[in-house]
Amino acid sequence: MKANTAHTPPTPQDETMLIRRILDGQTGLFRQLIARYAQQVLRMVGRIITSPEDAEDVVQDTLMAAYRSLDRYDARQSSFHTWLMAIAYHTAMNHVRRAHKLQFADTNQALLDAIPDAEADALLSDTRQERMALLERTVAELQPSDQLLLSLYYYDDRPISDIALITDHSEGYLRSRLQWIRKRLAFTIKALENHDKE
């Protein structure tokens, strides 16, 4: 489900050469490098920070952080895009932590464990309008980091290996977290449906 781009994406070699030129003093080229990914960075930050003004500030902080640490980018570790998205993720999460706005109630793990994977998948695959509305409502109640994980995996179709680099979590943790999120969404949807029947 990845969006089609109107232009051919740059090769890693092109980007590496561009980065070398920036580090050699052609700093104006940084704008050209960043322009390729600015909208993707804004979209990801916007999934974590809902205020457009705050999201713009975090994007600017991300770009400044990327510029300051450009000499530490290693193309052997990840693509520039993944490296930049990792900076955006950590900058946005730091902003959220500093804001102290988030208080989340955790669902009892035993209740989630009791939901079979097949049942959770069936609930979340249901495309009826009422079920989709409940799903949207329950996703909105997740922590921003969990919302982002869902977006990167299901909507952006990013591989777990890329998401691990972006979020600085192990692939095993991310798979486990995705399973936990699916079960929590299914549990919440069932609870809301049962409440509506009463």
Side-chain angles (χ1 to χ4, degrees), residues 164-196:
L165 288 169
I166 290 169
T167 61
D168 205 21
H169 289 299
S170 71
E171 293 182 29
Y173 168 82
L174 292 172
R175 286 191 184 91
S176 172
R177 191 68 184 173
L178 281 166
Q179 181 184 33
W180 182 90
I181 293 168
R182 283 198 306 271
K183 288 190 174 194
R184 174 158 183 190
L185 292 173
F187 175 84
T188 306
I189 288 170
K190 284 175 68 175
L192 287 171
E193 287 177 336
N194 290 337
H195 180 268
D196 289 346

PDB file of all heavy atoms in Angstrom, residues 164-196:
ATOM      1  N   ALA A 164      12.369  -1.420  12.966  1.00  0.00           N
ATOM      2  CA  ALA A 164      13.305  -1.638  14.087  1.00  0.00           C
ATOM      3  C   ALA A 164      14.399  -0.576  14.075  1.00  0.00           C
ATOM      4  O   ALA A 164      14.779  -0.050  15.137  1.00  0.00           O
ATOM      5  CB  ALA A 164      13.913  -3.037  13.994  1.00  0.00           C
ATOM      6  N   LEU A 165      14.905  -0.234  12.900  1.00  0.00           N
ATOM      7  CA  LEU A 165      15.930   0.809  12.806  1.00  0.00           C
ATOM      8  C   LEU A 165      15.367   2.180  13.172  1.00  0.00           C
ATOM      9  O   LEU A 165      16.019   2.972  13.838  1.00  0.00           O
ATOM     10  CB  LEU A 165      16.519   0.847  11.392  1.00  0.00           C
ATOM     11  CG  LEU A 165      17.422  -0.326  11.013  1.00  0.00           C
ATOM     12  CD1 LEU A 165      17.719  -0.321   9.528  1.00  0.00           C
ATOM     13  CD2 LEU A 165      18.714  -0.274  11.816  1.00  0.00           C
ATOM     14  N   ILE A 166      14.145   2.451  12.743  1.00  0.00           N
ATOM     15  CA  ILE A 166      13.522   3.749  13.014  1.00  0.00           C
ATOM     16  C   ILE A 166      13.253   3.928  14.502  1.00  0.00           C
ATOM     17  O   ILE A 166      13.551   4.972  15.078  1.00  0.00           O
ATOM     18  CB  ILE A 166      12.211   3.895  12.207  1.00  0.00           C
ATOM     19  CG1 ILE A 166      12.535   4.046  10.718  1.00  0.00           C
ATOM     20  CG2 ILE A 166      11.377   5.080  12.703  1.00  0.00           C
ATOM     21  CD1 ILE A 166      11.333   3.923   9.802  1.00  0.00           C
ATOM     22  N   THR A 167      12.697   2.901  15.133  1.00  0.00           N
ATOM     23  CA  THR A 167      12.255   3.027  16.527  1.00  0.00           C
ATOM     24  C   THR A 167      13.301   2.604  17.544  1.00  0.00           C
ATOM     25  O   THR A 167      13.128   2.815  18.733  1.00  0.00           O
ATOM     26  CB  THR A 167      10.988   2.179  16.770  1.00  0.00           C
ATOM     27  OG1 THR A 167      11.297   0.796  16.522  1.00  0.00           O
ATOM     28  CG2 THR A 167       9.850   2.627  15.870  1.00  0.00           C
ATOM     29  N   ASP A 168      14.377   1.967  17.074  1.00  0.00           N
ATOM     30  CA  ASP A 168      15.434   1.478  17.964  1.00  0.00           C
ATOM     31  C   ASP A 168      14.923   0.372  18.886  1.00  0.00           C
ATOM     32  O   ASP A 168      15.331   0.272  20.048  1.00  0.00           O
ATOM     33  CB  ASP A 168      16.033   2.635  18.772  1.00  0.00           C
ATOM     34  CG  ASP A 168      17.452   2.339  19.223  1.00  0.00           C
ATOM     35  OD1 ASP A 168      18.097   1.472  18.601  1.00  0.00           O
ATOM     36  OD2 ASP A 168      17.902   2.954  20.210  1.00  0.00           O
ATOM     37  N   HIS A 169      14.002  -0.448  18.365  1.00  0.00           N
ATOM     38  CA  HIS A 169      13.500  -1.625  19.079  1.00  0.00           C
ATOM     39  C   HIS A 169      13.887  -2.868  18.281  1.00  0.00           C
ATOM     40  O   HIS A 169      14.072  -2.793  17.062  1.00  0.00           O
ATOM     41  CB  HIS A 169      11.978  -1.591  19.224  1.00  0.00           C
ATOM     42  CG  HIS A 169      11.484  -0.554  20.180  1.00  0.00           C
ATOM     43  ND1 HIS A 169      11.814  -0.538  21.512  1.00  0.00           N
ATOM     44  CD2 HIS A 169      10.667   0.517  19.985  1.00  0.00           C
ATOM     45  CE1 HIS A 169      11.226   0.486  22.102  1.00  0.00           C
ATOM     46  NE2 HIS A 169      10.534   1.154  21.198  1.00  0.00           N
ATOM     47  N   SER A 170      13.957  -3.994  18.960  1.00  0.00           N
ATOM     48  CA  SER A 170      14.282  -5.234  18.255  1.00  0.00           C
ATOM     49  C   SER A 170      13.088  -5.683  17.411  1.00  0.00           C
ATOM     50  O   SER A 170      11.933  -5.333  17.695  1.00  0.00           O
ATOM     51  CB  SER A 170      14.642  -6.337  19.251  1.00  0.00           C
ATOM     52  OG  SER A 170      13.477  -6.763  19.938  1.00  0.00           O
ATOM     53  N   GLU A 171      13.378  -6.474  16.381  1.00  0.00           N
ATOM     54  CA  GLU A 171      12.308  -7.002  15.534  1.00  0.00           C
ATOM     55  C   GLU A 171      11.366  -7.884  16.349  1.00  0.00           C
ATOM     56  O   GLU A 171      10.150  -7.861  16.147  1.00  0.00           O
ATOM     57  CB  GLU A 171      12.893  -7.768  14.354  1.00  0.00           C
ATOM     58  CG  GLU A 171      13.645  -6.879  13.379  1.00  0.00           C
ATOM     59  CD  GLU A 171      14.183  -7.635  12.177  1.00  0.00           C
ATOM     60  OE1 GLU A 171      13.576  -8.657  11.790  1.00  0.00           O
ATOM     61  OE2 GLU A 171      15.199  -7.199  11.616  1.00  0.00           O
ATOM     62  N   GLY A 172      11.922  -8.666  17.268  1.00  0.00           N
ATOM     63  CA  GLY A 172      11.097  -9.525  18.118  1.00  0.00           C
ATOM     64  C   GLY A 172      10.132  -8.718  18.973  1.00  0.00           C
ATOM     65  O   GLY A 172       8.957  -9.065  19.101  1.00  0.00           O
ATOM     66  N   TYR A 173      10.638  -7.629  19.546  1.00  0.00           N
ATOM     67  CA  TYR A 173       9.768  -6.761  20.352  1.00  0.00           C
ATOM     68  C   TYR A 173       8.647  -6.185  19.489  1.00  0.00           C
ATOM     69  O   TYR A 173       7.482  -6.160  19.909  1.00  0.00           O
ATOM     70  CB  TYR A 173      10.578  -5.617  20.980  1.00  0.00           C
ATOM     71  CG  TYR A 173       9.687  -4.547  21.569  1.00  0.00           C
ATOM     72  CD1 TYR A 173       9.134  -4.706  22.835  1.00  0.00           C
ATOM     73  CD2 TYR A 173       9.362  -3.402  20.837  1.00  0.00           C
ATOM     74  CE1 TYR A 173       8.285  -3.740  23.362  1.00  0.00           C
ATOM     75  CE2 TYR A 173       8.516  -2.435  21.355  1.00  0.00           C
ATOM     76  CZ  TYR A 173       7.983  -2.612  22.614  1.00  0.00           C
ATOM     77  OH  TYR A 173       7.131  -1.657  23.130  1.00  0.00           O
ATOM     78  N   LEU A 174       8.976  -5.724  18.292  1.00  0.00           N
ATOM     79  CA  LEU A 174       7.966  -5.110  17.430  1.00  0.00           C
ATOM     80  C   LEU A 174       6.896  -6.110  17.008  1.00  0.00           C
ATOM     81  O   LEU A 174       5.705  -5.780  16.989  1.00  0.00           O
ATOM     82  CB  LEU A 174       8.628  -4.491  16.197  1.00  0.00           C
ATOM     83  CG  LEU A 174       9.517  -3.277  16.489  1.00  0.00           C
ATOM     84  CD1 LEU A 174      10.271  -2.867  15.227  1.00  0.00           C
ATOM     85  CD2 LEU A 174       8.705  -2.106  17.036  1.00  0.00           C
ATOM     86  N   ARG A 175       7.300  -7.343  16.694  1.00  0.00           N
ATOM     87  CA  ARG A 175       6.302  -8.368  16.351  1.00  0.00           C
ATOM     88  C   ARG A 175       5.378  -8.639  17.536  1.00  0.00           C
ATOM     89  O   ARG A 175       4.165  -8.763  17.391  1.00  0.00           O
ATOM     90  CB  ARG A 175       7.000  -9.648  15.909  1.00  0.00           C
ATOM     91  CG  ARG A 175       7.595  -9.557  14.525  1.00  0.00           C
ATOM     92  CD  ARG A 175       8.055 -10.913  13.998  1.00  0.00           C
ATOM     93  NE  ARG A 175       8.706 -10.747  12.723  1.00  0.00           N
ATOM     94  CZ  ARG A 175      10.010 -10.551  12.558  1.00  0.00           C
ATOM     95  NH1 ARG A 175      10.809 -10.539  13.606  1.00  0.00           N
ATOM     96  NH2 ARG A 175      10.524 -10.384  11.359  1.00  0.00           N
ATOM     97  N   SER A 176       5.982  -8.735  18.710  1.00  0.00           N
ATOM     98  CA  SER A 176       5.206  -8.967  19.927  1.00  0.00           C
ATOM     99  C   SER A 176       4.275  -7.791  20.203  1.00  0.00           C
ATOM    100  O   SER A 176       3.114  -7.968  20.573  1.00  0.00           O
ATOM    101  CB  SER A 176       6.170  -9.182  21.096  1.00  0.00           C
ATOM    102  OG  SER A 176       5.482  -9.232  22.305  1.00  0.00           O
ATOM    103  N   ARG A 177       4.780  -6.582  19.991  1.00  0.00           N
ATOM    104  CA  ARG A 177       3.964  -5.380  20.243  1.00  0.00           C
ATOM    105  C   ARG A 177       2.805  -5.307  19.258  1.00  0.00           C
ATOM    106  O   ARG A 177       1.686  -4.945  19.643  1.00  0.00           O
ATOM    107  CB  ARG A 177       4.838  -4.127  20.135  1.00  0.00           C
ATOM    108  CG  ARG A 177       4.167  -2.866  20.628  1.00  0.00           C
ATOM    109  CD  ARG A 177       3.958  -2.897  22.117  1.00  0.00           C
ATOM    110  NE  ARG A 177       3.222  -1.732  22.587  1.00  0.00           N
ATOM    111  CZ  ARG A 177       2.798  -1.589  23.822  1.00  0.00           C
ATOM    112  NH1 ARG A 177       3.051  -2.515  24.735  1.00  0.00           N
ATOM    113  NH2 ARG A 177       2.119  -0.519  24.188  1.00  0.00           N
ATOM    114  N   LEU A 178       3.048  -5.647  17.998  1.00  0.00           N
ATOM    115  CA  LEU A 178       1.956  -5.652  17.022  1.00  0.00           C
ATOM    116  C   LEU A 178       0.877  -6.647  17.421  1.00  0.00           C
ATOM    117  O   LEU A 178      -0.319  -6.365  17.301  1.00  0.00           O
ATOM    118  CB  LEU A 178       2.487  -5.989  15.622  1.00  0.00           C
ATOM    119  CG  LEU A 178       3.168  -4.847  14.870  1.00  0.00           C
ATOM    120  CD1 LEU A 178       3.930  -5.376  13.672  1.00  0.00           C
ATOM    121  CD2 LEU A 178       2.140  -3.803  14.427  1.00  0.00           C
ATOM    122  N   GLN A 179       1.282  -7.809  17.905  1.00  0.00           N
ATOM    123  CA  GLN A 179       0.310  -8.805  18.364  1.00  0.00           C
ATOM    124  C   GLN A 179      -0.483  -8.256  19.556  1.00  0.00           C
ATOM    125  O   GLN A 179      -1.701  -8.391  19.619  1.00  0.00           O
ATOM    126  CB  GLN A 179       1.024 -10.103  18.753  1.00  0.00           C
ATOM    127  CG  GLN A 179       0.072 -11.184  19.222  1.00  0.00           C
ATOM    128  CD  GLN A 179       0.811 -12.424  19.696  1.00  0.00           C
ATOM    129  OE1 GLN A 179       1.907 -12.331  20.234  1.00  0.00           O
ATOM    130  NE2 GLN A 179       0.207 -13.582  19.516  1.00  0.00           N
ATOM    131  N   TRP A 180       0.232  -7.611  20.500  1.00  0.00           N
ATOM    132  CA  TRP A 180      -0.428  -7.020  21.673  1.00  0.00           C
ATOM    133  C   TRP A 180      -1.422  -5.948  21.239  1.00  0.00           C
ATOM    134  O   TRP A 180      -2.546  -5.885  21.735  1.00  0.00           O
ATOM    135  CB  TRP A 180       0.626  -6.420  22.608  1.00  0.00           C
ATOM    136  CG  TRP A 180       0.046  -5.827  23.853  1.00  0.00           C
ATOM    137  CD1 TRP A 180      -0.173  -6.463  25.040  1.00  0.00           C
ATOM    138  CD2 TRP A 180      -0.402  -4.481  24.045  1.00  0.00           C
ATOM    139  NE1 TRP A 180      -0.728  -5.594  25.951  1.00  0.00           N
ATOM    140  CE2 TRP A 180      -0.884  -4.361  25.357  1.00  0.00           C
ATOM    141  CE3 TRP A 180      -0.444  -3.354  23.218  1.00  0.00           C
ATOM    142  CZ2 TRP A 180      -1.392  -3.186  25.885  1.00  0.00           C
ATOM    143  CZ3 TRP A 180      -0.957  -2.166  23.732  1.00  0.00           C
ATOM    144  CH2 TRP A 180      -1.420  -2.101  25.048  1.00  0.00           C
ATOM    145  N   ILE A 181      -1.020  -5.095  20.284  1.00  0.00           N
ATOM    146  CA  ILE A 181      -1.899  -4.025  19.809  1.00  0.00           C
ATOM    147  C   ILE A 181      -3.152  -4.610  19.167  1.00  0.00           C
ATOM    148  O   ILE A 181      -4.273  -4.159  19.434  1.00  0.00           O
ATOM    149  CB  ILE A 181      -1.165  -3.110  18.807  1.00  0.00           C
ATOM    150  CG1 ILE A 181      -0.046  -2.337  19.506  1.00  0.00           C
ATOM    151  CG2 ILE A 181      -2.136  -2.140  18.139  1.00  0.00           C
ATOM    152  CD1 ILE A 181       0.910  -1.638  18.542  1.00  0.00           C
ATOM    153  N   ARG A 182      -2.984  -5.626  18.319  1.00  0.00           N
ATOM    154  CA  ARG A 182      -4.147  -6.252  17.673  1.00  0.00           C
ATOM    155  C   ARG A 182      -5.118  -6.790  18.710  1.00  0.00           C
ATOM    156  O   ARG A 182      -6.333  -6.608  18.614  1.00  0.00           O
ATOM    157  CB  ARG A 182      -3.702  -7.377  16.738  1.00  0.00           C
ATOM    158  CG  ARG A 182      -3.133  -6.908  15.428  1.00  0.00           C
ATOM    159  CD  ARG A 182      -3.101  -7.996  14.380  1.00  0.00           C
ATOM    160  NE  ARG A 182      -2.418  -9.192  14.822  1.00  0.00           N
ATOM    161  CZ  ARG A 182      -1.105  -9.410  14.681  1.00  0.00           C
ATOM    162  NH1 ARG A 182      -0.356  -8.495  14.127  1.00  0.00           N
ATOM    163  NH2 ARG A 182      -0.569 -10.537  15.091  1.00  0.00           N
ATOM    164  N   LYS A 183      -4.575  -7.464  19.731  1.00  0.00           N
ATOM    165  CA  LYS A 183      -5.441  -8.026  20.773  1.00  0.00           C
ATOM    166  C   LYS A 183      -6.104  -6.924  21.602  1.00  0.00           C
ATOM    167  O   LYS A 183      -7.271  -7.037  21.968  1.00  0.00           O
ATOM    168  CB  LYS A 183      -4.643  -8.972  21.670  1.00  0.00           C
ATOM    169  CG  LYS A 183      -4.301 -10.275  20.971  1.00  0.00           C
ATOM    170  CD  LYS A 183      -3.742 -11.289  21.935  1.00  0.00           C
ATOM    171  CE  LYS A 183      -3.551 -12.633  21.253  1.00  0.00           C
ATOM    172  NZ  LYS A 183      -3.329 -13.716  22.201  1.00  0.00           N
ATOM    173  N   ARG A 184      -5.360  -5.873  21.883  1.00  0.00           N
ATOM    174  CA  ARG A 184      -5.956  -4.782  22.663  1.00  0.00           C
ATOM    175  C   ARG A 184      -7.080  -4.125  21.875  1.00  0.00           C
ATOM    176  O   ARG A 184      -8.129  -3.797  22.433  1.00  0.00           O
ATOM    177  CB  ARG A 184      -4.896  -3.749  23.024  1.00  0.00           C
ATOM    178  CG  ARG A 184      -5.553  -2.561  23.710  1.00  0.00           C
ATOM    179  CD  ARG A 184      -4.669  -1.751  24.549  1.00  0.00           C
ATOM    180  NE  ARG A 184      -5.455  -0.704  25.193  1.00  0.00           N
ATOM    181  CZ  ARG A 184      -4.951   0.284  25.838  1.00  0.00           C
ATOM    182  NH1 ARG A 184      -3.653   0.381  25.996  1.00  0.00           N
ATOM    183  NH2 ARG A 184      -5.721   1.198  26.390  1.00  0.00           N
ATOM    184  N   LEU A 185      -6.863  -3.905  20.578  1.00  0.00           N
ATOM    185  CA  LEU A 185      -7.923  -3.326  19.756  1.00  0.00           C
ATOM    186  C   LEU A 185      -9.145  -4.234  19.735  1.00  0.00           C
ATOM    187  O   LEU A 185     -10.282  -3.761  19.887  1.00  0.00           O
ATOM    188  CB  LEU A 185      -7.414  -3.084  18.336  1.00  0.00           C
ATOM    189  CG  LEU A 185      -6.355  -1.992  18.159  1.00  0.00           C
ATOM    190  CD1 LEU A 185      -5.832  -1.984  16.724  1.00  0.00           C
ATOM    191  CD2 LEU A 185      -6.906  -0.627  18.533  1.00  0.00           C
ATOM    192  N   ALA A 186      -8.928  -5.535  19.553  1.00  0.00           N
ATOM    193  CA  ALA A 186     -10.046  -6.487  19.527  1.00  0.00           C
ATOM    194  C   ALA A 186     -10.774  -6.494  20.859  1.00  0.00           C
ATOM    195  O   ALA A 186     -12.015  -6.487  20.904  1.00  0.00           O
ATOM    196  CB  ALA A 186      -9.527  -7.885  19.196  1.00  0.00           C
ATOM    197  N   PHE A 187     -10.023  -6.501  21.963  1.00  0.00           N
ATOM    198  CA  PHE A 187     -10.624  -6.491  23.301  1.00  0.00           C
ATOM    199  C   PHE A 187     -11.484  -5.238  23.496  1.00  0.00           C
ATOM    200  O   PHE A 187     -12.618  -5.299  23.970  1.00  0.00           O
ATOM    201  CB  PHE A 187      -9.520  -6.542  24.364  1.00  0.00           C
ATOM    202  CG  PHE A 187     -10.028  -6.408  25.769  1.00  0.00           C
ATOM    203  CD1 PHE A 187     -10.498  -7.508  26.460  1.00  0.00           C
ATOM    204  CD2 PHE A 187     -10.043  -5.172  26.403  1.00  0.00           C
ATOM    205  CE1 PHE A 187     -10.982  -7.385  27.754  1.00  0.00           C
ATOM    206  CE2 PHE A 187     -10.524  -5.039  27.699  1.00  0.00           C
ATOM    207  CZ  PHE A 187     -10.991  -6.153  28.378  1.00  0.00           C
ATOM    208  N   THR A 188     -10.952  -4.095  23.102  1.00  0.00           N
ATOM    209  CA  THR A 188     -11.674  -2.828  23.284  1.00  0.00           C
ATOM    210  C   THR A 188     -12.922  -2.777  22.420  1.00  0.00           C
ATOM    211  O   THR A 188     -13.981  -2.326  22.864  1.00  0.00           O
ATOM    212  CB  THR A 188     -10.747  -1.638  22.968  1.00  0.00           C
ATOM    213  OG1 THR A 188      -9.553  -1.758  23.747  1.00  0.00           O
ATOM    214  CG2 THR A 188     -11.418  -0.316  23.288  1.00  0.00           C
ATOM    215  N   ILE A 189     -12.811  -3.253  21.179  1.00  0.00           N
ATOM    216  CA  ILE A 189     -13.984  -3.275  20.296  1.00  0.00           C
ATOM    217  C   ILE A 189     -15.078  -4.152  20.890  1.00  0.00           C
ATOM    218  O   ILE A 189     -16.254  -3.775  20.926  1.00  0.00           O
ATOM    219  CB  ILE A 189     -13.589  -3.760  18.880  1.00  0.00           C
ATOM    220  CG1 ILE A 189     -12.789  -2.675  18.162  1.00  0.00           C
ATOM    221  CG2 ILE A 189     -14.820  -4.156  18.068  1.00  0.00           C
ATOM    222  CD1 ILE A 189     -12.152  -3.119  16.863  1.00  0.00           C
ATOM    223  N   LYS A 190     -14.704  -5.354  21.379  1.00  0.00           N
ATOM    224  CA  LYS A 190     -15.704  -6.245  21.989  1.00  0.00           C
ATOM    225  C   LYS A 190     -16.344  -5.587  23.206  1.00  0.00           C
ATOM    226  O   LYS A 190     -17.554  -5.661  23.397  1.00  0.00           O
ATOM    227  CB  LYS A 190     -15.028  -7.562  22.401  1.00  0.00           C
ATOM    228  CG  LYS A 190     -14.742  -8.487  21.237  1.00  0.00           C
ATOM    229  CD  LYS A 190     -13.982  -9.700  21.665  1.00  0.00           C
ATOM    230  CE  LYS A 190     -14.807 -10.629  22.554  1.00  0.00           C
ATOM    231  NZ  LYS A 190     -14.112 -11.880  22.881  1.00  0.00           N
ATOM    232  N   ALA A 191     -15.526  -4.905  24.026  1.00  0.00           N
ATOM    233  CA  ALA A 191     -16.047  -4.254  25.226  1.00  0.00           C
ATOM    234  C   ALA A 191     -17.009  -3.139  24.844  1.00  0.00           C
ATOM    235  O   ALA A 191     -18.085  -2.996  25.465  1.00  0.00           O
ATOM    236  CB  ALA A 191     -14.898  -3.692  26.061  1.00  0.00           C
ATOM    237  N   LEU A 192     -16.689  -2.370  23.822  1.00  0.00           N
ATOM    238  CA  LEU A 192     -17.574  -1.285  23.389  1.00  0.00           C
ATOM    239  C   LEU A 192     -18.873  -1.846  22.813  1.00  0.00           C
ATOM    240  O   LEU A 192     -19.952  -1.305  23.068  1.00  0.00           O
ATOM    241  CB  LEU A 192     -16.863  -0.431  22.340  1.00  0.00           C
ATOM    242  CG  LEU A 192     -15.737   0.480  22.853  1.00  0.00           C
ATOM    243  CD1 LEU A 192     -14.973   1.090  21.691  1.00  0.00           C
ATOM    244  CD2 LEU A 192     -16.297   1.573  23.767  1.00  0.00           C
ATOM    245  N   GLU A 193     -18.775  -2.922  22.040  1.00  0.00           N
ATOM    246  CA  GLU A 193     -19.978  -3.518  21.473  1.00  0.00           C
ATOM    247  C   GLU A 193     -20.877  -4.080  22.576  1.00  0.00           C
ATOM    248  O   GLU A 193     -22.100  -3.917  22.543  1.00  0.00           O
ATOM    249  CB  GLU A 193     -19.608  -4.611  20.475  1.00  0.00           C
ATOM    250  CG  GLU A 193     -19.042  -4.055  19.178  1.00  0.00           C
ATOM    251  CD  GLU A 193     -18.593  -5.126  18.204  1.00  0.00           C
ATOM    252  OE1 GLU A 193     -18.281  -6.258  18.644  1.00  0.00           O
ATOM    253  OE2 GLU A 193     -18.531  -4.821  17.003  1.00  0.00           O
ATOM    254  N   ASN A 194     -20.282  -4.724  23.558  1.00  0.00           N
ATOM    255  CA  ASN A 194     -21.064  -5.267  24.681  1.00  0.00           C
ATOM    256  C   ASN A 194     -21.715  -4.151  25.480  1.00  0.00           C
ATOM    257  O   ASN A 194     -22.861  -4.258  25.912  1.00  0.00           O
ATOM    258  CB  ASN A 194     -20.187  -6.125  25.599  1.00  0.00           C
ATOM    259  CG  ASN A 194     -19.790  -7.429  24.926  1.00  0.00           C
ATOM    260  OD1 ASN A 194     -20.448  -7.893  24.006  1.00  0.00           O
ATOM    261  ND2 ASN A 194     -18.692  -8.009  25.385  1.00  0.00           N
ATOM    262  N   HIS A 195     -20.970  -3.042  25.652  1.00  0.00           N
ATOM    263  CA  HIS A 195     -21.521  -1.897  26.392  1.00  0.00           C
ATOM    264  C   HIS A 195     -22.698  -1.292  25.640  1.00  0.00           C
ATOM    265  O   HIS A 195     -23.711  -0.902  26.243  1.00  0.00           O
ATOM    266  CB  HIS A 195     -20.421  -0.830  26.594  1.00  0.00           C
ATOM    267  CG  HIS A 195     -20.894   0.362  27.345  1.00  0.00           C
ATOM    268  ND1 HIS A 195     -21.402   1.475  26.713  1.00  0.00           N
ATOM    269  CD2 HIS A 195     -20.959   0.606  28.680  1.00  0.00           C
ATOM    270  CE1 HIS A 195     -21.751   2.364  27.615  1.00  0.00           C
ATOM    271  NE2 HIS A 195     -21.486   1.876  28.823  1.00  0.00           N
ATOM    272  N   ASP A 196     -22.588  -1.203  24.321  1.00  0.00           N
ATOM    273  CA  ASP A 196     -23.664  -0.624  23.511  1.00  0.00           C
ATOM    274  C   ASP A 196     -24.924  -1.481  23.544  1.00  0.00           C
ATOM    275  O   ASP A 196     -26.040  -0.986  23.363  1.00  0.00           O
ATOM    276  CB  ASP A 196     -23.211  -0.443  22.066  1.00  0.00           C
ATOM    277  CG  ASP A 196     -22.187   0.679  21.931  1.00  0.00           C
ATOM    278  OD1 ASP A 196     -22.040   1.471  22.882  1.00  0.00           O
ATOM    279  OD2 ASP A 196     -21.521   0.748  20.879  1.00  0.00           O
TER     280      ASP A 196
END
